[in-house]
Structure formats: C-alpha cells, structure tokens
Amino acid sequence: MRFDLWVKSALAAAVLGMSLGFFSSSGYAEDAEVKPLRALLVLGGCCHDYAAQQRILADGIEARAHVKVDISYDPDQGTSHLNPVYEKADWAEGYDVIIHDECTADVTDKDLVNRILDPHRNGLPAVLLHCAMHSYRTEGFPGVTPWFEFSGLQTTGHGPQVPIKIQFAAENDPIINGSDSWTTENEELYNNSAGKLLDTATKLASGVQMIKDQKGEYQPVETVLIWTNKYAENTKVFATTLGHNNVTVEDPRYLDLITRGLLWSCGKLDDTYLKTSSAK
C-alpha cells in the first residue's frame, strides 16, 4: 500500500474510533464499564414491612452505586422460619457482599447459624440492618453468641417508637463522609445490653431518644447506633440498628449511609463504584 493511502486509512480509522467512543480525549482506550458488585439482600420475618422494604433498599442501593442486588425475601412473618436461601450449604456462592435484614430471633439451631456464618468467617463482607441484630439467639444468649461476634454488638430489645437524633462520632470516617447529624421520624432505638460494643467493633454514631421516666419527665437515652466490625480477623462488617419504619428506610440519607457502608465493606468506597456522590 502506498504511504499516503496508509495514512488516510489510519486517520479514517482513528476518527471512526473516536466517534464510537473507543478512545478518550487523551488518546487511550476508555476503561471498560464498571463490573457491578453482586449483593444478596436477605430479609423477612417478624414485625416489619419487608414486602415494601425489599425494593426500597435494592432500588436505592442500585441507584447510588454499581451494585446488582438480588433479593431473597421470606414472606413468613414469624421469628422461627429460616429464610429458604440458607437451605443450601453454598448459599452465598458468587456474591461479593451479603445484606442481612432478617428478623428471626428463634432460629437457634447451631448448625444452621454456622452455615450462615461460614462464608463470612471466610472473608465475605456483610451489611447488617436493624432486626438482623436481634436474630439467631443461640445458646448463650444474652451473652456473646456467635451471631453477636459477627455483628459486634450485644442487644436484647428496644424502646418506644419516637424520633432518634443521630450523633456522628467519626465525622472523618469515609462511610460518614462529613454527614451532618439528623433526626429520624418515629423509630426504634436498640439497647446495648452489655453497655458497649465488642472490642472488634468501632462506633460511627450514637442515637438519642427522649424517653419519659417514672416521674413523667423526659430523659435522654443514648446507645450505639451505627458501627463497623472486624469479624474473624479479616471480614469487614457494616451495621446499624436503624431501619424499622419505611419512612426511615426510604430516607435518602439512610440509603446513602447503607450504600457507603456496603461499598466500604467490599473495599470499593471510591468514585469508581459510587454513582451519585464523591468518596473522601
């Protein structure tokens, strides 16, 4: 081929490539589309509107980050029914992170609970929401059960449904990202039955409710509300006891928090995986 014809062909190919988006303005090939993280949302059981919350959570996370959320929703409304996803030993295979949002206090078979925990013992990240903290009360409860080792917090109950003022304790933490404190609508504040987190856990925020005492006077009650846990030495866990009512779950601030916690647990809290806000 003559040199002048070769140059014309090369230029034409370059123009075509740029028009199709094969090249960036710097002349290098664009990065491939971000491969979404695969998350499994496990929810169902007693006392909550999981039928609505499954889509609120999945859609909210997917809108904020490159995450594909699969859902395992158990419509059983009791506390003793095992979510069917856990029936297989390899239930977590193929997932990058698990979102535990079940409310199953009376699933107490140790072998079943170990089946749930085994992938996390082997490094699979997790997000724990609300009543997940009150699930799987195996022998030893209210002491440190295997599930409490996983969650990082011992908790046995909650107070009345009144607003919770969220007070961030680690404003420079990348999950918190400088967020301002805010107050929820009516919510449940879970107790910290041991008075503290486990040594493997780190507080990110506390919650405060104003509760009437026996004299009818309002007094502040404060407990740990949002935290992270280092489980089995190398597994990152993000947890919050927030999330009883739909008005909280659908709050953009709540969904921002959950999404950032999920990405943090996977080591992906950065601008590559975030869609709507910048990582710090």
Side-chain angles (χ1 to χ4, degrees):
M1 180 184 294
R2 285 169 40 194
F3 180 74
D4 58 339
L5 293 179
W6 180 87
V7 171
K8 290 180 180 179
S9 297
L11 288 172
V15 170
L16 177 61
M18 292 180 69
S19 68
L20 295 177
F22 295 156
F23 297 94
S24 68
S25 59
S26 63
Y28 294 97
E30 291 279 12
D31 292 336
E33 184 177 348
V34 177
K35 181 181 179 181
L37 297 172
R38 290 195 64 202
L40 174 63
L41 171 60
V42 183
L43 74 175
C46 175
C47 314
H48 303 85
D49 188 7
Y50 292 123
Q53 290 178 11
Q54 58 177 319
R55 287 264 47 107
I56 295 171
L57 287 165
D59 293 346
I61 292 169
E62 290 181 347
R64 288 164 170 77
H66 294 286
V67 180
K68 173 67 173 67
V69 182
D70 293 338
I71 298 171
S72 179
Y73 165 56
D74 184 358
D76 188 285
Q77 297 182 3
T79 60
S80 59
H81 190 258
L82 184 71
N83 193 297
V85 75
Y86 296 134
E87 293 175 358
K88 295 182 179 180
D90 61 351
W91 66 271
E93 185 174 351
Y95 288 103
D96 299 298
V97 60
I98 308 300
I99 307 167
H100 289 282
D101 195 24
E102 55 263 63
C103 193
T104 50
D106 295 314
V107 174
T108 59
D109 183 277
K110 190 173 181 180
D111 290 338
L112 290 177
V113 175
N114 279 330
R115 181 188 299 168
I116 298 169
L117 288 173
D118 278 344
H120 300 298
R121 289 173 176 143
N122 292 322
L124 182 63
V127 173
L128 275 67
L129 303 179
H130 194 57
C131 200
M133 261 59 74
H134 284 170
S135 296
Y136 309 115
R137 294 176 171 178
T138 53
E139 184 178 356
F141 177 87
V144 181
T145 62
W147 193 255
F148 282 157
E149 290 179 349
F150 175 48
S151 73
L153 176 73
Q154 292 167 254
T155 175
T156 60
H158 58 78
Q161 289 204 29
V162 295
I164 298 174
K165 182 178 181 180
I166 302 170
Q167 297 181 331
F168 291 111
E171 292 182 358
N172 293 327
D173 185 275
I175 299 172
I176 301 305
N177 194 33
S179 298
D180 295 328
S181 297
W182 50 284
T183 301
T184 70
E185 301 292 334
N186 286 346
E187 262 296 326
E188 294 175 346
L189 184 65
Y190 280 22
N191 68 23
N192 305 159
S193 56
K196 62 183 181 65
L197 291 164
L198 272 62
D199 291 342
T200 54
T202 301
K203 182 173 77 170
L204 300 184
S206 59
V208 180
Q209 283 182 327
M210 299 302 294
I211 306 297
K212 280 186 178 181
D213 62 16
Q214 294 180 345
K215 297 179 180 180
E217 298 176 352
Y218 284 95
Q219 302 292 338
V221 174
E222 181 174 349
T223 68
V224 176
L225 187 72
I226 305 166
W227 67 97
T228 59
N229 190 38
K230 184 179 180 181
Y231 178 60
E233 296 187 359
N234 64 350
T235 301
K236 289 183 175 181
V237 177
F238 169 79
T240 179
T241 56
L242 274 177
H244 181 86
N245 291 317
N246 292 358
V247 68
T248 299
V249 177
E250 67 189 5
D251 190 309
R253 295 167 293 189
Y254 182 80
L255 292 168
D256 286 348
L257 176 71
I258 300 309
T259 302
R260 296 184 70 87
L262 182 152
L263 293 177
W264 169 87
S265 74
C266 298
K268 302 294 186 182
L269 182 49
D270 54 44
D271 286 332
T272 299
Y273 280 87
L274 281 168
K275 290 181 178 179
T276 59
S277 59
S278 295
K280 286 187 178 178

